[in-house]
Each structure stands twice: as C-alpha cells, then as structure tokens.
Amino acid sequence: MRNIWTIARKELRGYFDHPTAYILLVVFLGINLFFYFRSAFLVQQASLRPLFELLPWILLFFVPAVTMGSLAEEKRHGTLEVVLSHPIQEHELLIGKYVGNVLFVAIALGGTLLVPLTLKMGGSPDFGVVIAQYFGSLLLVAGMTAVGVFASALTRNQITAFIVGTASIFALMMVGTEVVQMGLPSWVSNPLSQLAILPHFANVTRGVIDLRDLVYFAAVAVAFLSLAYWLLSRDRLSHKGQLYRNLKLGTLTLVAIAVVANLFGKYIPGRVDLTAERLYTMSSGTKRILGDLNDVVTITFFSSSELPAQVRILERDVSDVLRDFERYSRGNVQVLRKHPERSEEATQEARQLGIQPVQFNVVRREELQLKQGWLGLAIQYADESEVIPFVGDSRTLEYQLAANVWRLTRTVTPKVAFVTGQGEKTQAEYGLFTRELSRTYEVATVDLSSDTAVIEPDIDALIFPGPKSGMSPRARQMVQSYLENDGRALYLSDGVDVNLQYLFAMALPDSARDITTQFGARVNGDLLFDLRSNESIQVPGEVFSYIVAYPFWMRRLRATEHAITRSINSVFMPWASSIDTLPAVEGRTVTPLLATSEFAGRQIANFQIRPDVQLMYNPEDLAQYVVAVAVQGAVDGALEGTRAGRAVLVGDADFLSDQFIGNAPESALFGLNALDWLTQTDALLDIRSKQPTARPLVFESNLEMQAVKYVNLIGVPLAFVLLGTVRLLRRRRMTRRKYGE
C-alpha cells in the first residue's frame, strides 16, 4: 500500500510540474462552465443538471488526454524496466498510476465545486442531488480512467494511446444508445445495454446511489485494469511458461467475473436516496394505503423483451417500485410479469384491459421496420381494474400506482364541483386539470345563476374558476352558508380581465372577489409583474425572432412551509393579482403559500401588457406580494374530531387552464395538492408531494448574477493558472540553484 501511494503522489506531482496539466485544466473548466452558464441562466433554475449532462462528452476526450502517457511514456523511454527493477510489483505500479490519474481528474472536477455554492445566492439547489451528481462523476472518472490506463499500457505511442482510449470510452457510451441497439438482434442488444456507461451515470446523478451502479463502475475498473496488468506483465514472462498461462487465465477470469457481475447485478437491491423530496423512497402515504388493504390487489406488468434502449432503462425502476409495493403490502399486493410478444394469451389479456403496444422504429437487415413494444401496468381488485397503458416516467409511478390502488379499494369517493354562473372559466378550458382531477374525485357542476341551484351536502369542495361578475343575493347566501358550515373552497380569482387579442388589461369592478373576505383575505384589482422571477417568451422581429423576459408571466415562489407546497418550489402563473390578508377572522388562520420575489410591482386600472412595450414603474415601489393563501378554521371544542372549514385562495384563474398547464406541470400539482388538502385526502397529498418541481434561480440584481458567472468562468481557471505559474517559477529557481547551497 505504501508503494502504491508513493507512485500515485509521484504521478500526480508530475502532472503539476508541467504546463500541459494547467492547460488541460483551464480548457476542461472553461468548456464546462461556459456551456453551463449559457443554459442555466436562460432557464433560471438552481440545478447543476446542464453541467453533468455535458460532462461525459467532455471527459471522453479529457480522460484519454490525461492518461495517454501514464505507461506509454514509460515504455517509450525504457524507464519501465528500471522502475520494476526496484522492490515494486507490477500491480503496485499499475494501481499507483491509476490512483494518480484519478486524483488529477478529480481535482479538475473539483474546480466546479464553487458553482453550487454560488448558486445558493440566487436559489436553493438540492444539495442531496448535488452530492449524488459529484459522486456519480467520480465513479464515471474511475471507470474512464481505467480504460485510459489500459490504452496507455497497450502501446508506446501517446497519440495511439489517446485514440485507443477515446475510441474505447466512446464505444462504452454508444453501446446503449438507440443508434447502436436498433441494428442488433435482441439476444445481443439486451446484454450490451447492460454494459453501457451513460445510463448508470444518469441513474446516480438523478440523486439516488444504487448498489447496482456501484457494481457496474467497479466491474469496468476491474476489467480494464486486469487487461492493463496483463499487457504490463506479458513482456516479462515466457509465452510458453506456466506463469504466462496462469496470467492469461487469471486475467480472463477477472474480466469474466466483472462482466457477469454487471449483467446479473441488476438483481441486487439496495440504494440510498439523497433527494430532498425522497423521490425514490416509498412515502408514508403509500405505506398507509398498502397497509390498510384487506384483500389482494393484483398488479400485472406487461413488458416486451425487445424495447428501445431509452425505454429499457425504465424497466429497472418499474421493477423496483413493484418490489416495494409487494414488500409494504404485507402480502396483499401480488405482482405478475407477462411478456405479450411471447404469448398470445398475454397479448389478448393486455388488449382487453386497455393496454396497447407502442410503436417504434428498428433497423433490421439494412431497412427500417416498425415494431411494437409493451411497457404497461394493470391494477386489478375484485371485478374492477385501472391501467397505466405506458410507463413514461418512473418518478411519478409510485403516485400513479398508489392512486389507482386507492381508487379501487376506497369505500367513498370525494366529490368536488365547479361553480358557474358568474362568467367563470368552463371545464372545457380546464380540460387537462379536470381529467387529472377525475382520477381521484367525482367531478360535478353547480350553476349558481339558476333559481333552483342547490349546493348538495355531499360536495366536499367547491372550485371557483375565476368569476367575472357579481353574485346574486341568493347565490351569495348559499356560498356563505356552505363555507360557514364546514365548507371547502378553491377560489381562483382574477383581479383584472386580460384581452388576449389586443394584450390589454382592464379592471373588473363588479366581480365576486369580495366573497373571499369571509376567508380573511382579499384579491386586489391589480396585475403584478416581477423583474427577477419571470418567464422568457419569443417575440417576432422584422427578420428574426428574439427572446425577452416577460415580467407579467411570473414564477411564484414558495412563501412558507405548508402541506400544499411541500415539494413545489415555484409555480408559473400568468397575469396574477395580489392578495391582502385582512384583520384576523376569529377561528381562522391564514397562511401564505406563494409569493413574488422582492422585485415585483403592480399595475392598476387599464394598461397594455405587450412584451415590446416598456414597463413603467417606480423602483422604490418594488416589493414582495402574496399571490396564494391557505385558510384553515379552528376546530370547535364541542365538535372535537370534526373537520374544520378550509379554503385556498389564488390570485389567478389562468394558470390551471389548458393554455398554460401543458408546459407547467407544477401548476396541476399545486391545484391537486390544494384539493387534497381541502378534502383532507392526506395519503395522496403525501405521495404527490414527492413529485419534483423546478427550483427557481432569482438573483437580487444583474450585477450579482454576472458576478456569480464570471467568478466561476474566469476566476476558477485563473486561480489554476496562478497556481501553475507560482509552482513552475519556484521549480525553475530550484533547478538553477547550485548543489550544496
């Protein structure tokens, strides 16, 4: 061990004694940080995902450039024999060289550590995911470096070693892609996909450290270091001797063990979830639903053995979730796995349940063919069933499965009703949200403009989708009576009316906004804008279109910790109004849910909202405004155990419409969470809160944002340049000193 560390230190010190190492470091950091900040500030998210998506492709060239001279240079100068003539074994030399190279690349990667620390100034990165991303990067470096050392042991020429190393790493990266997979038969493509390096790296960087990914990277390192050891030792042994035959046999055995361990490693459970929302850990709500089962629920997993490479990655995640469902159901969840392409009976069963195959392209015999594949789930209980026709995202799979189990086994279905009659938006405008809502609730409509309208007592919550005219005295009395009698309401109110044809906003003087005063809050007749937390839109120009920030389309930030916003970091709301809390209403608690940044203002009366019209405001009037609140009534001591009245008030009715919700899934998540909280469907609320949402990046000023960018982009590489200059000048002075001075 002492020899290994000595060689590793010598290798590492050798890099920093030459200008080439500093050039490599500056180029590596410059490319990484340039492309990162180019995209990170555009999407305004406090995430390192753009950095690590590009990292493997930069390491593809960086690692072979670092490792190409490790052993090739020793062979070319004939110093390898001199080194091995000392009391140093071949494996000690090899591992020492490998460790030294890994440490050098790790130092280069460490130059990006300032990025997540400085992002903290403008956002709240998930540091659990950040730790997993850097840990996964170190695993990737360890695997790639082993390939580079193998390439360096293969030849005496550094350029040849660089080309071989790059080609070998590129092969490991491409072997799991659809470009390669679709041209191979299934019996070859399936094992090869297990050897691909990018899926394992992506699995770790999403925030979960899986034992199977650790096995993969360890297997890659062991396999290529074993081959490098064979290349290093073969010239020192007689090819006809027993020692050489033992060397070949041992090398082949280690490589075979590494390959087999990786191929069968997918059956090894065990993982550590580092995400803040515990995205890959079974939630307490799911455990509660599964624990309350009193009969068997059958989940049938229909999957094809021949799927595109990018879809095949989901199979492992689906199997993990199904394994957890079996584990926590105490035997009440039975999982069946069927392959429809192998059985006509399974095909017919899948089609009868409503699961259809998806189509994808494959290349067979140099022609494009259309194939069908299956990756669906059927949940069956008694004589009823629910299906997930195709699993597209494993992050929401737990919620989908748990919600389906809950729907099939529940005894009572909560009921919500859309209120109409005051110019509200229709269910057709809320089509996507209504469809999601109907998966959990019975959805009805109450027309308050009708003289015979009645709010039925079985309605668990009312939804007011943006009333634009005042309520009649009778309708107002019904609503007030419902709310006072332990009623629940999701009140979406527009303070102004937006004309989309002319992009003009005007006040709504006679709307039903004042009904919210009994909640202890009031929606104001204004329109907010935010100079920092907003969306960018594309504006057509005379020749080309260009992207500009649109302050009226804001990213609402989480104001306080609440069950509704537990996993929601921001919500996109176009054309929203502010909310004022009124003097405390006895027995009610008002909690802010969403707010603007501190650089928001408001427009009053009639005004234009065109993106190409300059916004007029007084910088001294900028402040933070609340745009959503939750109201909870106290439980009367005489009615201990009964539900208290609740309401959620939002200063925008457009954010849940089909026009905007398609590109902002966090909006639907907020609306569904609000209704779960109102109706106290706590199990689903707990599960749904695990769904990830974007973490906004909002700096106090452009100066601060530019400082973060250039401190990383210029400051960090410059620090390495200064370190190299000082070290090289010091080394030069030492070489000029006379012996004995």
Side-chain angles (χ1 to χ4, degrees):
M1 194 66 185
R2 186 175 182 180
N3 289 340
I4 292 175
W5 180 239
T6 301
I7 294 170
R9 283 189 302 170
K10 177 182 178 298
E11 187 78 4
L12 185 62
R13 188 167 55 247
Y15 283 120
F16 287 102
D17 285 342
H18 295 281
T20 306
Y22 299 98
I23 295 174
L24 285 173
L25 288 171
V26 170
V27 171
F28 173 80
L29 292 171
I31 294 175
N32 261 302
L33 298 175
F34 172 77
F35 284 105
Y36 170 72
F37 285 107
R38 187 179 180 181
S39 60
F41 286 170
L42 181 64
V43 299
Q44 295 183 339
Q45 293 183 12
S47 169
L48 295 185
R49 184 174 180 179
L51 179 70
F52 291 100
E53 284 181 343
L54 184 63
L55 182 65
W57 300 101
I58 297 177
L59 291 177
L60 169 63
F61 300 98
F62 181 70
V63 171
V66 171
T67 59
M68 63 183 182
S70 297
L71 295 171
E73 195 69 5
E74 299 274 9
K75 287 184 175 183
R76 190 170 72 88
H77 290 293
T79 56
L80 186 60
E81 289 76 11
V82 177
V83 173
L84 292 177
S85 65
H86 291 78
I88 296 176
Q89 301 296 321
E90 286 91 341
H91 73 274
E92 292 177 331
L93 174 66
L94 179 65
I95 297 175
K97 292 274 188 179
Y98 171 73
V99 172
N101 281 280
V102 169
L103 289 176
F104 178 79
V105 182
I107 290 172
L109 187 63
T112 64
L113 283 172
L114 189 61
V115 175
L117 298 178
T118 52
L119 283 185
K120 184 69 175 171
M121 300 171 62
S124 179
D126 187 341
F127 280 98
V129 175
V130 171
I131 292 172
Q133 287 170 333
Y134 277 100
F135 183 76
S137 299
L138 290 176
L139 292 177
L140 181 67
V141 166
M144 286 185 170
T145 303
V147 179
V149 171
F150 157 75
S152 184
L154 190 63
T155 178
R156 296 173 179 268
N157 188 287
Q158 291 193 51
I159 302 302
T160 304
F162 174 80
I163 294 173
V164 172
T166 303
S168 301
I169 295 173
F170 183 71
L172 284 175
M173 295 173 67
M174 294 298 294
V175 74
T177 61
E178 186 177 4
V179 176
V180 175
Q181 291 280 309
M182 67 184 183
L184 299 173
S186 60
W187 63 271
V188 175
S189 62
N190 288 345
L192 277 181
S193 65
Q194 299 295 322
L195 303 178
I197 200 169
L198 290 180
H200 292 278
F201 174 67
N203 284 333
V204 179
T205 55
R206 63 182 177 170
V208 57
I209 299 175
D210 199 299
L211 182 59
R212 291 164 290 193
D213 298 317
L214 297 180
V215 169
Y216 170 79
F217 286 107
V220 170
V222 169
F224 281 96
L225 288 178
S226 299
L227 292 173
Y229 178 75
W230 171 66
L231 293 171
L232 194 64
S233 304
R234 65 177 180 175
D235 295 334
R236 298 169 56 84
L237 298 173
S238 172
H239 290 196
K240 296 182 180 180
Q242 183 63 36
L243 290 178
Y244 181 73
R245 287 195 293 270
N246 291 342
L247 174 65
K248 285 201 303 183
L249 180 61
T251 302
L252 290 174
T253 301
L254 285 175
V255 172
I257 290 174
V259 172
V260 171
N262 177 55
L263 292 177
F264 292 95
K266 63 181 181 180
Y267 301 108
I268 305 174
R271 60 188 173 186
V272 178
D273 187 356
L274 298 179
T275 59
E277 292 86 5
R278 311 294 291 172
L279 299 176
Y280 306 99
T281 303
M282 188 70 74
S283 67
S284 58
T286 300
K287 294 177 183 178
R288 189 158 61 248
I289 290 174
L290 297 177
D292 291 339
L293 293 177
N294 53 19
D295 204 348
V296 175
V297 174
T298 302
I299 301 178
T300 307
F301 182 24
F302 296 94
S303 65
S304 296
S305 56
E306 186 175 352
L307 286 169
Q310 70 274 17
V311 177
R312 198 178 298 133
I313 297 172
L314 292 172
E315 285 186 295
R316 189 178 88 172
D317 293 336
V318 175
S319 297
D320 288 343
V321 174
L322 294 178
R323 187 186 300 114
D324 288 341
F325 267 66
E326 284 183 303
R327 174 186 175 189
Y328 290 106
S329 68
R330 295 178 298 182
N332 285 324
V333 169
Q334 180 181 4
V335 176
L336 304 177
R337 291 170 173 82
K338 297 184 179 181
H339 302 286
E341 80 281 5
R342 298 179 182 175
S343 168
E344 182 62 29
E345 182 182 351
T347 301
Q348 293 299 326
E349 181 183 355
R351 293 185 184 276
Q352 289 174 2
L353 289 169
I355 299 177
Q356 300 294 331
V358 295
Q359 294 181 335
F360 55 91
N361 295 326
V362 296
V363 176
R364 293 289 183 267
R365 298 177 183 177
E366 299 183 352
E367 64 178 6
L368 191 65
Q369 298 179 1
L370 200 63
K371 293 291 184 181
Q372 292 184 334
W374 307 75
L375 194 69
L377 292 163
I379 303 94
Q380 297 169 287
Y381 177 78
D383 296 330
E384 298 183 11
S385 64
E386 296 280 353
V387 298
I388 303 174
F390 185 80
V391 181
D393 188 351
S394 61
R395 294 178 300 178
T396 61
L397 180 59
E398 180 194 337
Y399 169 73
Q400 294 181 67
L401 282 175
N404 283 325
V405 171
W406 179 77
R407 281 194 293 270
L408 290 173
T409 59
R410 66 190 172 186
T411 56
V412 178
T413 301
K415 184 177 182 180
V416 298
F418 281 86
V419 172
T420 63
Q422 289 76 43
E424 294 91 348
K425 295 184 181 298
T426 65
Q427 287 191 45
E429 294 177 89
Y430 278 37
L432 295 175
F433 180 68
T434 303
R435 186 170 62 189
E436 288 297 320
L437 198 60
S438 61
R439 297 177 184 275
T440 307
Y441 297 91
E442 179 185 346
V443 181
T445 302
V446 176
D447 185 0
L448 294 181
S449 63
S450 172
D451 293 336
T452 59
V454 176
I455 301 177
E456 300 291 344
D458 63 339
I459 294 177
D460 293 275
L462 292 175
I463 302 175
F464 295 82
K468 286 185 167 50
S469 60
M471 288 184 179
S472 66
R474 181 177 181 277
R476 184 181 295 272
Q477 179 60 38
M478 278 195 300
V479 172
Q480 290 178 341
S481 176
Y482 169 79
L483 296 176
E484 289 172 357
N485 189 26
D486 193 32
R488 314 297 170 104
L490 172 60
Y491 205 98
L492 312 175
S493 180
D494 288 320
V496 297
D497 185 25
V498 175
N499 187 312
L500 295 179
Q501 182 177 0
Y502 300 102
L503 288 178
F504 192 82
M506 60 193 75
L508 284 172
D510 188 23
S511 70
R513 292 199 313 274
D514 62 330
I515 196 70
T516 65
T517 56
Q518 70 183 98
F519 302 152
R522 176 184 61 211
V523 178
N524 298 315
D526 58 18
L527 189 64
L528 296 176
F529 62 87
D530 197 319
L531 302 179
R532 291 287 178 266
S533 182
N534 54 51
E535 292 289 313
S536 297
I537 63 174
Q538 192 172 32
V539 178
E542 295 181 0
V543 181
F544 301 104
S545 298
Y546 56 95
I547 296 176
V548 298
Y550 188 44
F552 290 109
W553 282 11
M554 299 188 296
R555 274 277 164 193
R556 307 315 195 260
L557 310 176
R558 181 169 54 191
T560 55
E561 289 293 332
H562 192 275
I564 297 175
T565 57
R566 187 186 310 159
S567 66
I568 299 176
N569 300 293
S570 67
V571 176
F572 166 60
M573 289 186 180
W575 305 307
S577 302
S578 63
I579 295 178
D580 285 340
T581 55
L582 303 176
V585 178
E586 184 178 358
R588 290 193 180 275
T589 302
V590 180
T591 305
L593 297 176
L594 299 173
T596 66
S597 74
E598 296 178 354
F599 300 90
R602 60 180 187 167
Q603 300 276 20
I604 303 175
N606 303 333
F607 50 90
Q608 288 186 325
I609 56 173
R610 296 176 58 88
D612 54 353
V613 175
Q614 180 158 4
L615 192 61
M616 305 301 294
Y617 64 93
N618 184 352
E620 296 182 357
D621 294 337
L622 298 180
Q624 186 178 52
Y625 295 90
V626 175
V627 293
V629 299
V631 182
Q632 182 171 2
V635 177
D636 190 337
L639 301 174
E640 192 73 36
T642 63
R643 297 188 307 171
R646 296 184 176 189
V648 174
L649 178 60
V650 184
D652 183 23
D654 291 304
F655 79 107
L656 288 179
S657 66
D658 291 351
Q659 183 180 1
F660 300 103
I661 200 173
N663 296 322
E666 70 280 357
S667 299
L669 180 60
F670 177 84
L672 294 171
N673 280 357
L675 286 168
D676 286 346
W677 180 77
L678 290 171
T679 61
Q680 293 183 271
T681 314
D682 297 331
L684 292 183
L685 177 59
D686 185 55
I687 304 168
R688 195 186 289 112
S689 66
K690 291 174 53 180
Q691 299 185 36
T693 58
R695 293 173 176 262
L697 190 62
V698 182
F699 291 100
E700 292 188 1
S701 65
N702 285 326
L703 179 62
E704 185 181 56
M705 182 176 67
Q706 295 302 321
V708 168
K709 176 180 178 179
Y710 290 109
V711 164
N712 285 279
L713 184 58
I714 297 178
V716 174
L718 185 60
F720 277 103
V721 171
L722 294 176
L723 173 65
T725 302
V726 170
R727 184 176 178 85
L728 293 176
L729 288 176
R730 181 183 176 188
R731 181 176 174 80
R732 182 173 297 179
R733 283 200 308 269
M734 291 180 64
T735 59
R736 292 176 178 175
R737 290 174 60 185
K738 294 182 179 180
Y739 181 77
E741 286 185 353

